[in-house]
Every structure is written in structure tokens, then in C-alpha cells.
Amino acid sequence: PFATFFLAVLIMAWYGGIGPALVSVVLGALSARYFFLPPRGSLSLLKLYDTIALTLYFSVGLAAAFFSEVLQAESD
């Protein structure tokens, strides 16, 4: 369920910078947890799979935002 949010993170990182990309990561994680992961309508992290999935999403999202920021700084 988190794969659909990576495009938003990459676009925000490229055009907005690291701040909007981090906001996009947080909002994407919350909305994916609330709308797509069972039990729907809950933000609980009782299952190990959900916790691992959120951790991986945050890690990849933060790395994408950081690398985009580095690429933008190098091109200037």
C-alpha cells in the first residue's frame, strides 16, 4: 500500500525540497495506515508487519528526500 505514495514523495522532494518531502512522507504513512491497512479506520500498529512496513516506508522516503536534496545542491 505504500508504493503508491513514493511518487508523491519524489515529486515533492524534487520541486519543493526536503521539508515538503518529509511532510509528504508523514501524510502518506498516516493515510496508508488509516485507509489501506486492516483494520481500516485505525492508526494502531499492533501487527509486526505494519510496523515493519511503516519503518521501511519512512526509511526509503527519507533517503529519497535526502538524495534529491543532495542532487539539487550539486546541480546549483
Side-chain angles (χ1 to χ4, degrees):
F2 297 103
T4 57
F5 295 104
F6 282 120
L7 182 61
V9 172
L10 292 174
I11 290 172
M12 293 304 294
W14 187 256
Y15 289 112
I18 197 159
L22 296 179
V23 171
S24 178
V25 168
V26 171
L27 291 177
L30 289 175
S31 63
R33 176 66 202 117
Y34 190 79
F35 291 112
F36 298 121
L37 294 175
R40 289 179 175 85
S42 171
L43 292 174
S44 68
L45 293 173
L46 298 178
K47 295 181 184 175
L48 181 62
Y49 169 78
D50 296 341
T51 307
I52 291 171
L54 274 174
T55 304
L56 287 174
Y57 174 73
F58 272 111
S59 301
V60 172
L62 294 176
F66 174 74
F67 288 133
S68 176
E69 188 72 21
V70 168
L71 283 174
Q72 293 242 338
E74 289 294 321
S75 67
D76 291 337

PDB file of all heavy atoms in Angstrom, residues 29-57:
ATOM      1  N   ALA A  29       2.248   8.055   5.105  1.00  0.00           N
ATOM      2  CA  ALA A  29       2.236   6.948   6.063  1.00  0.00           C
ATOM      3  C   ALA A  29       0.936   6.921   6.852  1.00  0.00           C
ATOM      4  O   ALA A  29       0.343   5.860   7.050  1.00  0.00           O
ATOM      5  CB  ALA A  29       3.424   7.062   7.007  1.00  0.00           C
ATOM      6  N   LEU A  30       0.492   8.082   7.295  1.00  0.00           N
ATOM      7  CA  LEU A  30      -0.758   8.129   8.051  1.00  0.00           C
ATOM      8  C   LEU A  30      -1.955   7.728   7.209  1.00  0.00           C
ATOM      9  O   LEU A  30      -2.816   6.971   7.656  1.00  0.00           O
ATOM     10  CB  LEU A  30      -0.961   9.528   8.633  1.00  0.00           C
ATOM     11  CG  LEU A  30      -0.047   9.921   9.779  1.00  0.00           C
ATOM     12  CD1 LEU A  30      -0.285  11.365  10.175  1.00  0.00           C
ATOM     13  CD2 LEU A  30      -0.248   9.000  10.959  1.00  0.00           C
ATOM     14  N   SER A  31      -2.018   8.237   5.983  1.00  0.00           N
ATOM     15  CA  SER A  31      -3.167   7.897   5.146  1.00  0.00           C
ATOM     16  C   SER A  31      -3.141   6.440   4.707  1.00  0.00           C
ATOM     17  O   SER A  31      -4.186   5.791   4.638  1.00  0.00           O
ATOM     18  CB  SER A  31      -3.252   8.832   3.935  1.00  0.00           C
ATOM     19  OG  SER A  31      -2.123   8.687   3.124  1.00  0.00           O
ATOM     20  N   ALA A  32      -1.967   5.890   4.431  1.00  0.00           N
ATOM     21  CA  ALA A  32      -1.884   4.470   4.071  1.00  0.00           C
ATOM     22  C   ALA A  32      -2.298   3.602   5.245  1.00  0.00           C
ATOM     23  O   ALA A  32      -3.025   2.616   5.079  1.00  0.00           O
ATOM     24  CB  ALA A  32      -0.476   4.108   3.619  1.00  0.00           C
ATOM     25  N   ARG A  33      -1.846   3.956   6.436  1.00  0.00           N
ATOM     26  CA  ARG A  33      -2.215   3.183   7.622  1.00  0.00           C
ATOM     27  C   ARG A  33      -3.714   3.271   7.895  1.00  0.00           C
ATOM     28  O   ARG A  33      -4.353   2.296   8.238  1.00  0.00           O
ATOM     29  CB  ARG A  33      -1.419   3.688   8.827  1.00  0.00           C
ATOM     30  CG  ARG A  33      -1.774   3.047  10.119  1.00  0.00           C
ATOM     31  CD  ARG A  33      -1.401   1.566  10.090  1.00  0.00           C
ATOM     32  NE  ARG A  33      -2.191   0.884  11.081  1.00  0.00           N
ATOM     33  CZ  ARG A  33      -3.086  -0.071  10.816  1.00  0.00           C
ATOM     34  NH1 ARG A  33      -3.285  -0.475   9.610  1.00  0.00           N
ATOM     35  NH2 ARG A  33      -3.776  -0.623  11.763  1.00  0.00           N
ATOM     36  N   TYR A  34      -4.295   4.447   7.739  1.00  0.00           N
ATOM     37  CA  TYR A  34      -5.706   4.646   8.066  1.00  0.00           C
ATOM     38  C   TYR A  34      -6.640   4.050   7.015  1.00  0.00           C
ATOM     39  O   TYR A  34      -7.657   3.457   7.351  1.00  0.00           O
ATOM     40  CB  TYR A  34      -5.982   6.137   8.225  1.00  0.00           C
ATOM     41  CG  TYR A  34      -7.342   6.437   8.798  1.00  0.00           C
ATOM     42  CD1 TYR A  34      -7.562   6.319  10.165  1.00  0.00           C
ATOM     43  CD2 TYR A  34      -8.394   6.834   7.992  1.00  0.00           C
ATOM     44  CE1 TYR A  34      -8.796   6.582  10.706  1.00  0.00           C
ATOM     45  CE2 TYR A  34      -9.632   7.105   8.521  1.00  0.00           C
ATOM     46  CZ  TYR A  34      -9.835   6.974   9.881  1.00  0.00           C
ATOM     47  OH  TYR A  34     -11.062   7.233  10.407  1.00  0.00           O
ATOM     48  N   PHE A  35      -6.300   4.209   5.726  1.00  0.00           N
ATOM     49  CA  PHE A  35      -7.231   3.820   4.673  1.00  0.00           C
ATOM     50  C   PHE A  35      -6.972   2.439   4.069  1.00  0.00           C
ATOM     51  O   PHE A  35      -7.900   1.806   3.574  1.00  0.00           O
ATOM     52  CB  PHE A  35      -7.212   4.848   3.530  1.00  0.00           C
ATOM     53  CG  PHE A  35      -7.798   6.169   3.926  1.00  0.00           C
ATOM     54  CD1 PHE A  35      -7.000   7.285   4.019  1.00  0.00           C
ATOM     55  CD2 PHE A  35      -9.148   6.283   4.212  1.00  0.00           C
ATOM     56  CE1 PHE A  35      -7.536   8.506   4.379  1.00  0.00           C
ATOM     57  CE2 PHE A  35      -9.693   7.497   4.572  1.00  0.00           C
ATOM     58  CZ  PHE A  35      -8.888   8.613   4.661  1.00  0.00           C
ATOM     59  N   PHE A  36      -5.730   1.964   4.043  1.00  0.00           N
ATOM     60  CA  PHE A  36      -5.420   0.768   3.266  1.00  0.00           C
ATOM     61  C   PHE A  36      -5.048  -0.467   4.079  1.00  0.00           C
ATOM     62  O   PHE A  36      -5.202  -1.576   3.598  1.00  0.00           O
ATOM     63  CB  PHE A  36      -4.299   1.064   2.266  1.00  0.00           C
ATOM     64  CG  PHE A  36      -4.674   2.118   1.276  1.00  0.00           C
ATOM     65  CD1 PHE A  36      -3.938   3.277   1.179  1.00  0.00           C
ATOM     66  CD2 PHE A  36      -5.768   1.952   0.452  1.00  0.00           C
ATOM     67  CE1 PHE A  36      -4.282   4.256   0.267  1.00  0.00           C
ATOM     68  CE2 PHE A  36      -6.118   2.929  -0.461  1.00  0.00           C
ATOM     69  CZ  PHE A  36      -5.381   4.083  -0.548  1.00  0.00           C
ATOM     70  N   LEU A  37      -4.498  -0.297   5.257  1.00  0.00           N
ATOM     71  CA  LEU A  37      -4.087  -1.456   6.046  1.00  0.00           C
ATOM     72  C   LEU A  37      -5.199  -1.868   7.003  1.00  0.00           C
ATOM     73  O   LEU A  37      -5.813  -1.020   7.643  1.00  0.00           O
ATOM     74  CB  LEU A  37      -2.815  -1.145   6.840  1.00  0.00           C
ATOM     75  CG  LEU A  37      -1.571  -0.892   6.011  1.00  0.00           C
ATOM     76  CD1 LEU A  37      -0.428  -0.471   6.913  1.00  0.00           C
ATOM     77  CD2 LEU A  37      -1.191  -2.123   5.220  1.00  0.00           C
ATOM     78  N   PRO A  38      -5.461  -3.169   7.104  1.00  0.00           N
ATOM     79  CA  PRO A  38      -6.516  -3.607   8.026  1.00  0.00           C
ATOM     80  C   PRO A  38      -6.045  -3.506   9.468  1.00  0.00           C
ATOM     81  O   PRO A  38      -4.862  -3.714   9.735  1.00  0.00           O
ATOM     82  CB  PRO A  38      -6.758  -5.059   7.627  1.00  0.00           C
ATOM     83  CG  PRO A  38      -5.576  -5.476   6.859  1.00  0.00           C
ATOM     84  CD  PRO A  38      -4.919  -4.241   6.315  1.00  0.00           C
ATOM     85  N   PRO A  39      -6.863  -3.196  10.422  1.00  0.00           N
ATOM     86  CA  PRO A  39      -8.265  -2.802  10.311  1.00  0.00           C
ATOM     87  C   PRO A  39      -8.358  -1.362   9.822  1.00  0.00           C
ATOM     88  O   PRO A  39      -7.704  -0.468  10.357  1.00  0.00           O
ATOM     89  CB  PRO A  39      -8.801  -2.931  11.729  1.00  0.00           C
ATOM     90  CG  PRO A  39      -7.603  -2.727  12.598  1.00  0.00           C
ATOM     91  CD  PRO A  39      -6.433  -3.269  11.810  1.00  0.00           C
ATOM     92  N   ARG A  40      -9.156  -1.160   8.807  1.00  0.00           N
ATOM     93  CA  ARG A  40      -9.294   0.169   8.209  1.00  0.00           C
ATOM     94  C   ARG A  40      -9.962   1.118   9.200  1.00  0.00           C
ATOM     95  O   ARG A  40     -10.809   0.733   9.974  1.00  0.00           O
ATOM     96  CB  ARG A  40     -10.087   0.066   6.918  1.00  0.00           C
ATOM     97  CG  ARG A  40      -9.286  -0.606   5.843  1.00  0.00           C
ATOM     98  CD  ARG A  40     -10.080  -0.746   4.554  1.00  0.00           C
ATOM     99  NE  ARG A  40      -9.260  -1.296   3.494  1.00  0.00           N
ATOM    100  CZ  ARG A  40      -9.056  -2.575   3.296  1.00  0.00           C
ATOM    101  NH1 ARG A  40      -9.611  -3.448   4.094  1.00  0.00           N
ATOM    102  NH2 ARG A  40      -8.299  -3.002   2.306  1.00  0.00           N
ATOM    103  N   GLY A  41      -9.558   2.365   9.139  1.00  0.00           N
ATOM    104  CA  GLY A  41     -10.103   3.367  10.040  1.00  0.00           C
ATOM    105  C   GLY A  41      -9.406   3.408  11.384  1.00  0.00           C
ATOM    106  O   GLY A  41      -9.912   3.993  12.327  1.00  0.00           O
ATOM    107  N   SER A  42      -8.227   2.810  11.466  1.00  0.00           N
ATOM    108  CA  SER A  42      -7.490   2.774  12.724  1.00  0.00           C
ATOM    109  C   SER A  42      -6.025   3.115  12.452  1.00  0.00           C
ATOM    110  O   SER A  42      -5.496   2.811  11.399  1.00  0.00           O
ATOM    111  CB  SER A  42      -7.581   1.385  13.346  1.00  0.00           C
ATOM    112  OG  SER A  42      -6.721   1.282  14.451  1.00  0.00           O
ATOM    113  N   LEU A  43      -5.397   3.728  13.427  1.00  0.00           N
ATOM    114  CA  LEU A  43      -3.978   4.053  13.306  1.00  0.00           C
ATOM    115  C   LEU A  43      -3.105   3.163  14.192  1.00  0.00           C
ATOM    116  O   LEU A  43      -1.942   3.459  14.422  1.00  0.00           O
ATOM    117  CB  LEU A  43      -3.728   5.522  13.649  1.00  0.00           C
ATOM    118  CG  LEU A  43      -4.301   6.538  12.674  1.00  0.00           C
ATOM    119  CD1 LEU A  43      -4.103   7.945  13.201  1.00  0.00           C
ATOM    120  CD2 LEU A  43      -3.682   6.385  11.305  1.00  0.00           C
ATOM    121  N   SER A  44      -3.672   2.067  14.676  1.00  0.00           N
ATOM    122  CA  SER A  44      -2.915   1.196  15.575  1.00  0.00           C
ATOM    123  C   SER A  44      -1.838   0.422  14.816  1.00  0.00           C
ATOM    124  O   SER A  44      -1.973   0.127  13.636  1.00  0.00           O
ATOM    125  CB  SER A  44      -3.851   0.203  16.264  1.00  0.00           C
ATOM    126  OG  SER A  44      -4.354  -0.707  15.326  1.00  0.00           O
ATOM    127  N   LEU A  45      -0.770   0.115  15.516  1.00  0.00           N
ATOM    128  CA  LEU A  45       0.349  -0.627  14.949  1.00  0.00           C
ATOM    129  C   LEU A  45       0.572  -1.903  15.750  1.00  0.00           C
ATOM    130  O   LEU A  45       1.666  -2.178  16.224  1.00  0.00           O
ATOM    131  CB  LEU A  45       1.619   0.222  14.956  1.00  0.00           C
ATOM    132  CG  LEU A  45       1.610   1.424  14.049  1.00  0.00           C
ATOM    133  CD1 LEU A  45       2.849   2.262  14.276  1.00  0.00           C
ATOM    134  CD2 LEU A  45       1.517   0.994  12.611  1.00  0.00           C
ATOM    135  N   LEU A  46      -0.460  -2.690  15.896  1.00  0.00           N
ATOM    136  CA  LEU A  46      -0.364  -3.888  16.707  1.00  0.00           C
ATOM    137  C   LEU A  46       0.332  -5.036  15.995  1.00  0.00           C
ATOM    138  O   LEU A  46       0.931  -5.883  16.628  1.00  0.00           O
ATOM    139  CB  LEU A  46      -1.756  -4.325  17.168  1.00  0.00           C
ATOM    140  CG  LEU A  46      -2.485  -3.314  18.050  1.00  0.00           C
ATOM    141  CD1 LEU A  46      -3.866  -3.836  18.407  1.00  0.00           C
ATOM    142  CD2 LEU A  46      -1.687  -3.013  19.292  1.00  0.00           C
ATOM    143  N   LYS A  47       0.274  -5.071  14.674  1.00  0.00           N
ATOM    144  CA  LYS A  47       0.895  -6.160  13.929  1.00  0.00           C
ATOM    145  C   LYS A  47       2.343  -5.812  13.602  1.00  0.00           C
ATOM    146  O   LYS A  47       2.671  -4.670  13.296  1.00  0.00           O
ATOM    147  CB  LYS A  47       0.145  -6.415  12.631  1.00  0.00           C
ATOM    148  CG  LYS A  47      -1.254  -6.918  12.832  1.00  0.00           C
ATOM    149  CD  LYS A  47      -1.897  -7.169  11.492  1.00  0.00           C
ATOM    150  CE  LYS A  47      -3.332  -7.593  11.649  1.00  0.00           C
ATOM    151  NZ  LYS A  47      -3.981  -7.728  10.354  1.00  0.00           N
ATOM    152  N   LEU A  48       3.197  -6.792  13.660  1.00  0.00           N
ATOM    153  CA  LEU A  48       4.613  -6.596  13.347  1.00  0.00           C
ATOM    154  C   LEU A  48       4.798  -6.196  11.881  1.00  0.00           C
ATOM    155  O   LEU A  48       5.626  -5.348  11.568  1.00  0.00           O
ATOM    156  CB  LEU A  48       5.404  -7.862  13.658  1.00  0.00           C
ATOM    157  CG  LEU A  48       6.905  -7.802  13.400  1.00  0.00           C
ATOM    158  CD1 LEU A  48       7.547  -6.741  14.293  1.00  0.00           C
ATOM    159  CD2 LEU A  48       7.534  -9.149  13.628  1.00  0.00           C
ATOM    160  N   TYR A  49       3.990  -6.785  10.987  1.00  0.00           N
ATOM    161  CA  TYR A  49       4.082  -6.459   9.563  1.00  0.00           C
ATOM    162  C   TYR A  49       3.829  -4.979   9.328  1.00  0.00           C
ATOM    163  O   TYR A  49       4.529  -4.339   8.536  1.00  0.00           O
ATOM    164  CB  TYR A  49       3.085  -7.298   8.771  1.00  0.00           C
ATOM    165  CG  TYR A  49       2.935  -6.840   7.350  1.00  0.00           C
ATOM    166  CD1 TYR A  49       3.901  -7.161   6.408  1.00  0.00           C
ATOM    167  CD2 TYR A  49       1.858  -6.065   6.957  1.00  0.00           C
ATOM    168  CE1 TYR A  49       3.787  -6.725   5.103  1.00  0.00           C
ATOM    169  CE2 TYR A  49       1.727  -5.626   5.658  1.00  0.00           C
ATOM    170  CZ  TYR A  49       2.697  -5.959   4.736  1.00  0.00           C
ATOM    171  OH  TYR A  49       2.581  -5.509   3.451  1.00  0.00           O
ATOM    172  N   ASP A  50       2.828  -4.405  10.000  1.00  0.00           N
ATOM    173  CA  ASP A  50       2.513  -2.991   9.812  1.00  0.00           C
ATOM    174  C   ASP A  50       3.661  -2.104  10.289  1.00  0.00           C
ATOM    175  O   ASP A  50       4.004  -1.124   9.645  1.00  0.00           O
ATOM    176  CB  ASP A  50       1.235  -2.625  10.558  1.00  0.00           C
ATOM    177  CG  ASP A  50       0.026  -3.349  10.020  1.00  0.00           C
ATOM    178  OD1 ASP A  50       0.080  -3.841   8.866  1.00  0.00           O
ATOM    179  OD2 ASP A  50      -0.985  -3.431  10.750  1.00  0.00           O
ATOM    180  N   THR A  51       4.255  -2.464  11.392  1.00  0.00           N
ATOM    181  CA  THR A  51       5.364  -1.685  11.920  1.00  0.00           C
ATOM    182  C   THR A  51       6.577  -1.758  10.993  1.00  0.00           C
ATOM    183  O   THR A  51       7.212  -0.741  10.726  1.00  0.00           O
ATOM    184  CB  THR A  51       5.743  -2.192  13.321  1.00  0.00           C
ATOM    185  OG1 THR A  51       4.576  -2.204  14.144  1.00  0.00           O
ATOM    186  CG2 THR A  51       6.800  -1.323  13.949  1.00  0.00           C
ATOM    187  N   ILE A  52       6.868  -2.935  10.481  1.00  0.00           N
ATOM    188  CA  ILE A  52       7.995  -3.089   9.549  1.00  0.00           C
ATOM    189  C   ILE A  52       7.725  -2.329   8.259  1.00  0.00           C
ATOM    190  O   ILE A  52       8.613  -1.653   7.724  1.00  0.00           O
ATOM    191  CB  ILE A  52       8.268  -4.578   9.287  1.00  0.00           C
ATOM    192  CG1 ILE A  52       8.811  -5.230  10.548  1.00  0.00           C
ATOM    193  CG2 ILE A  52       9.247  -4.763   8.130  1.00  0.00           C
ATOM    194  CD1 ILE A  52       8.922  -6.730  10.462  1.00  0.00           C
ATOM    195  N   ALA A  53       6.497  -2.416   7.745  1.00  0.00           N
ATOM    196  CA  ALA A  53       6.153  -1.710   6.512  1.00  0.00           C
ATOM    197  C   ALA A  53       6.277  -0.204   6.684  1.00  0.00           C
ATOM    198  O   ALA A  53       6.818   0.487   5.804  1.00  0.00           O
ATOM    199  CB  ALA A  53       4.745  -2.084   6.070  1.00  0.00           C
ATOM    200  N   LEU A  54       5.809   0.328   7.794  1.00  0.00           N
ATOM    201  CA  LEU A  54       5.943   1.766   8.036  1.00  0.00           C
ATOM    202  C   LEU A  54       7.402   2.179   8.195  1.00  0.00           C
ATOM    203  O   LEU A  54       7.809   3.229   7.711  1.00  0.00           O
ATOM    204  CB  LEU A  54       5.164   2.157   9.288  1.00  0.00           C
ATOM    205  CG  LEU A  54       3.695   2.464   9.082  1.00  0.00           C
ATOM    206  CD1 LEU A  54       3.005   2.692  10.412  1.00  0.00           C
ATOM    207  CD2 LEU A  54       3.513   3.657   8.187  1.00  0.00           C
ATOM    208  N   THR A  55       8.181   1.359   8.860  1.00  0.00           N
ATOM    209  CA  THR A  55       9.602   1.662   9.029  1.00  0.00           C
ATOM    210  C   THR A  55      10.328   1.683   7.685  1.00  0.00           C
ATOM    211  O   THR A  55      11.125   2.592   7.419  1.00  0.00           O
ATOM    212  CB  THR A  55      10.258   0.637   9.968  1.00  0.00           C
ATOM    213  OG1 THR A  55       9.552   0.632  11.207  1.00  0.00           O
ATOM    214  CG2 THR A  55      11.713   0.970  10.209  1.00  0.00           C
ATOM    215  N   LEU A  56      10.045   0.715   6.842  1.00  0.00           N
ATOM    216  CA  LEU A  56      10.650   0.699   5.509  1.00  0.00           C
ATOM    217  C   LEU A  56      10.197   1.890   4.667  1.00  0.00           C
ATOM    218  O   LEU A  56      10.996   2.495   3.947  1.00  0.00           O
ATOM    219  CB  LEU A  56      10.323  -0.606   4.793  1.00  0.00           C
ATOM    220  CG  LEU A  56      11.060  -1.834   5.299  1.00  0.00           C
ATOM    221  CD1 LEU A  56      10.529  -3.085   4.602  1.00  0.00           C
ATOM    222  CD2 LEU A  56      12.539  -1.696   5.074  1.00  0.00           C
ATOM    223  N   TYR A  57       8.919   2.234   4.761  1.00  0.00           N
ATOM    224  CA  TYR A  57       8.407   3.382   4.014  1.00  0.00           C
ATOM    225  C   TYR A  57       9.106   4.663   4.464  1.00  0.00           C
ATOM    226  O   TYR A  57       9.531   5.472   3.641  1.00  0.00           O
ATOM    227  CB  TYR A  57       6.895   3.502   4.192  1.00  0.00           C
ATOM    228  CG  TYR A  57       6.326   4.747   3.576  1.00  0.00           C
ATOM    229  CD1 TYR A  57       6.223   4.876   2.197  1.00  0.00           C
ATOM    230  CD2 TYR A  57       5.905   5.810   4.358  1.00  0.00           C
ATOM    231  CE1 TYR A  57       5.715   6.018   1.624  1.00  0.00           C
ATOM    232  CE2 TYR A  57       5.391   6.949   3.798  1.00  0.00           C
ATOM    233  CZ  TYR A  57       5.301   7.048   2.433  1.00  0.00           C
ATOM    234  OH  TYR A  57       4.803   8.183   1.866  1.00  0.00           O
TER     235      TYR A  57
END
